[in-house]
mmCIF file of all heavy atoms in Angstrom:
data_model
loop_
_atom_site.group_PDB
_atom_site.id
_atom_site.type_symbol
_atom_site.label_atom_id
_atom_site.label_comp_id
_atom_site.label_asym_id
_atom_site.label_seq_id
_atom_site.Cartn_x
_atom_site.Cartn_y
_atom_site.Cartn_z
ATOM 1 N N LYS A 40 2.018 24.351 -2.418
ATOM 2 C CA LYS A 40 2.817 25.551 -2.128
ATOM 3 C C LYS A 40 2.782 26.542 -3.294
ATOM 4 O O LYS A 40 3.559 27.505 -3.321
ATOM 5 C CB LYS A 40 4.265 25.131 -1.840
ATOM 6 C CG LYS A 40 4.381 24.185 -0.641
ATOM 7 C CD LYS A 40 5.656 24.444 0.148
ATOM 8 C CE LYS A 40 5.644 23.691 1.465
ATOM 9 N NZ LYS A 40 6.228 22.352 1.391
ATOM 10 N N ALA A 258 -24.563 14.557 10.706
ATOM 11 C CA ALA A 258 -24.892 15.783 9.976
ATOM 12 C C ALA A 258 -24.128 15.820 8.652
ATOM 13 O O ALA A 258 -24.660 16.255 7.626
ATOM 14 C CB ALA A 258 -24.571 17.006 10.818
ATOM 15 N N VAL A 339 -42.034 -10.173 -14.782
ATOM 16 C CA VAL A 339 -42.544 -8.829 -15.076
ATOM 17 C C VAL A 339 -42.345 -8.522 -16.548
ATOM 18 O O VAL A 339 -41.272 -8.751 -17.100
ATOM 19 C CB VAL A 339 -41.762 -7.773 -14.251
ATOM 20 C CG1 VAL A 339 -42.138 -6.364 -14.667
ATOM 21 C CG2 VAL A 339 -42.021 -7.981 -12.785
ATOM 22 N N PRO A 417 -11.627 25.881 -0.586
ATOM 23 C CA PRO A 417 -11.211 26.243 -1.946
ATOM 24 C C PRO A 417 -11.082 27.768 -2.094
ATOM 25 O O PRO A 417 -11.640 28.511 -1.286
ATOM 26 C CB PRO A 417 -12.357 25.732 -2.826
ATOM 27 C CG PRO A 417 -13.265 24.969 -1.948
ATOM 28 C CD PRO A 417 -12.980 25.336 -0.539
#
Side-chain angles (χ1 to χ4, degrees):
K40 300 215 169 90
V339 172

